[in-house]
Amino acid sequence: MVIEKDKSLKHLNTFGIDAKASYYAEIRTIEDLCAVILHPMYRSAPKLILGGGSNILFKQNFNGLILHNLLQGIELLNEDENFVFLKAGAGVIWHEFVLYAVQHGWGGIENLSLIPGTVGASPIQNIGAYGTEIKDTFYELEAIDLQDATTHRFNATACGFGYRDSIFKREAKGRFMIVSVTFRLSKSPVLNTRYGAIEQELQAEGVTQPTIQDVSKAVIAIRSSKLPDPKIIGNAGSFFKNPEIPTSQFETLKAVFPELPGYPGLEGTTKVAAGYLIEQCGWKGKVIGKVGMHRQQALVLVNHGGATGQELIDHAVRVQDSVLEKFGIHLEMEVNIL
Ligand SMILES: Cc1cc2nc3c(=O)[nH]c(=O)nc-3n(C[C@H](O)[C@H](O)[C@H](O)COP(=O)(O)OP(=O)(O)OC[C@H]3O[C@@H](n4cnc5c(N)ncnc54)[C@H](O)[C@@H]3O)c2cc1C
């Protein structure tokens, strides 16, 4: 295995930040992974697992070893009358995995079509879209401890999934490389078309009895029309989480801002659309230097070309400060800052 030095990460993160890594290795087998992390030269080096780089913002160079996960393979592990247990290597492109499932008629992840990134990153923030999260179909994952190369299995409870959250963003942050993920997909899927614009898109296409293929196609069409393509303009999708605030606070705000969108959250909380808050503070489409919030999607922080990670973070903080001042709500960053 080749270990590259002073590797440019510009084409390995969707913000297009021109940061460098001291060392960089492409991981194509678990044996390679174990060999490199146990190697005396790299054993104590800081390590970062990189998938598609679609949820990372480099604010500086990475002084350590980047392990670029390219582990491949999709395997049908098991099946019964109702379900299949489908395992994928962590480096499989998430959307290709979704299409594989959809083509076979196995349901549960079709609403997550076209989310960028890899299968291995999907549990990190429990990716979600259009009323579905991976926790709904997740069965288990295998991970290698980066300290001693031991193998560990995590079921859904052990992953501690929450809204854009799991133990891999908290207590287990940076400790493991996820090497495979197994999903339990349904042979008789129950479609979830009520969320977002899926129903309208299906109607526009004249689909009255949708299949999972139809739902996947509808999601692809909606996402392609709504979200900025990182190949054209650097971004990492939603930069902030939708905040969950006490329902009493939501009602007080609603009296002042009658159009404030809110959805029932966990126990006495309401989830508020962060995009609305950002737009109300005047950030939507506003460009400062090389950065700004996207003109159609206020929640998406964009690099208009040549911005540094620090410039993007400074802008995110400006947005956070103004939302806090106007609404008394703290916006939490969803993207991983390095
Ligand atoms: C245009 C756009 C739209 C998006 N839409 C959505 C959306 O609808 N819903 C949503 O949830 N997300 C969305 N995202 C965010 C992103 O696609 C997901 O978070 C995705 O799972 C990131 O995958 P990745 O492989 O690119 O991870 P990376 O950005 O490479 O890594 C993200 C984090 O996970 C860690 N990591 C990655 N792989 C592993 C592994 N194998 N083992 C251990 N740690 C690992 C990294 O160290 C890093 O901390 C969007 C992003 C973009 C650019």
Side-chain angles (χ1 to χ4, degrees):
M1 181 188 18
V2 179
I3 311 268
E4 294 178 52
K5 279 189 186 171
D6 288 329
K7 171 82 175 176
S8 166
L9 302 171
K10 190 169 168 36
H11 300 292
L12 297 172
N13 70 96
T14 58
F15 269 120
I17 300 298
D18 198 5
K20 281 203 165 77
S22 321
Y23 301 100
Y24 166 89
E26 293 186 345
I27 303 298
R28 294 175 192 277
T29 66
I30 292 178
E31 292 69 31
D32 278 354
L33 171 66
C34 295
V36 72
I37 60 181
L38 293 175
H39 193 289
M41 194 167 157
Y42 305 110
R43 205 152 179 175
S44 59
K47 296 179 186 71
L48 172 74
I49 314 299
L50 186 63
S54 64
N55 203 21
I56 278 186
L57 177 51
F58 289 103
K59 68 172 178 196
Q60 58 208 2
N61 290 337
F62 184 71
N63 292 318
L65 170 65
I66 292 218
L67 300 164
H68 190 186
N69 161 32
L70 297 171
L71 298 168
Q72 297 303 306
I74 298 180
E75 188 187 349
L76 177 61
L77 278 190
N78 204 349
E79 66 184 302
D80 60 25
E81 216 180 303
N82 302 313
F83 296 100
V84 295
F85 293 81
L86 196 61
K87 176 177 172 178
V92 171
I93 300 299
W94 171 259
H95 182 58
E96 287 173 12
F97 179 66
V98 173
L99 290 184
Y100 183 93
V102 165
Q103 276 153 17
H104 284 80
W106 298 327
I109 51 176
E110 56 281 357
N111 289 31
L112 306 178
S113 298
L114 214 58
I115 294 182
T118 52
V119 167
S122 65
I124 305 284
Q125 70 158 8
N126 176 27
I127 57 169
Y130 303 105
T132 301
E133 294 179 322
I134 65 127
K135 73 168 173 46
D136 307 328
T137 45
F138 176 92
Y139 182 67
E140 69 168 14
L141 64 79
E142 265 180 338
I144 304 284
D145 190 324
L146 297 176
Q147 287 295 318
D148 56 12
T150 50
T151 305
H152 299 254
R153 284 193 140 82
F154 294 77
N155 62 18
T157 310
C159 289
F161 290 127
Y163 164 56
R164 298 294 181 277
D165 198 30
S166 75
I167 60 155
F168 302 104
K169 285 189 94 172
R170 303 189 309 264
E171 56 269 39
K173 191 178 166 118
R175 184 168 159 199
F176 296 98
M177 171 157 158
I178 295 169
V179 293
S180 69
V181 188
T182 302
F183 292 86
R184 179 174 168 270
L185 302 175
S186 174
K187 289 182 175 176
S188 341
V190 179
L191 301 181
N192 176 4
T193 56
R194 279 170 302 153
Y195 203 91
I198 299 181
E199 222 158 53
Q200 284 133 271
E201 179 66 28
L202 289 169
Q203 269 173 19
E205 288 299 312
V207 180
T208 48
Q209 301 281 317
T211 61
I212 57 170
Q213 285 84 353
D214 296 321
V215 173
S216 173
K217 263 196 217 156
V219 170
I220 292 170
I222 298 163
R223 292 185 70 102
S224 307
S225 70
K226 272 179 59 177
L227 287 169
D229 181 350
K231 288 193 194 103
I232 298 166
I233 183 164
N235 76 89
S238 302
F239 194 83
F240 299 102
K241 293 184 184 184
N242 288 317
E244 288 177 301
I245 61 171
T247 299
S248 54
Q249 184 188 359
F250 175 73
E251 277 156 9
T252 308
L253 282 169
K254 188 99 178 151
V256 187
F257 304 96
E259 285 169 11
L260 178 66
Y263 313 91
L266 295 173
E267 294 153 16
T269 66
T270 299
K271 198 187 266 187
V272 180
Y276 173 88
L277 305 176
I278 296 168
E279 190 173 348
Q280 291 303 307
C281 291
W283 292 112
K284 189 174 178 182
K286 189 172 189 169
V287 181
I288 297 190
K290 298 166 182 163
V291 305
M293 306 310 290
H294 192 261
R295 64 190 155 75
Q296 283 162 327
Q297 293 295 329
L299 196 46
V300 178
L301 176 63
V302 296
N303 175 1
H304 286 286
T308 62
Q310 192 59 54
E311 285 168 332
L312 284 157
I313 291 177
D314 291 345
H315 195 68
V317 172
R318 279 194 283 271
V319 171
Q320 269 179 329
D321 288 348
S322 66
V323 168
L324 186 62
E325 197 183 318
K326 188 168 177 128
F327 295 98
I329 296 176
H330 170 69
L331 289 184
E332 194 187 330
M333 297 185 194
E334 178 184 310
V335 171
N336 300 279
I337 312 292
L338 280 152

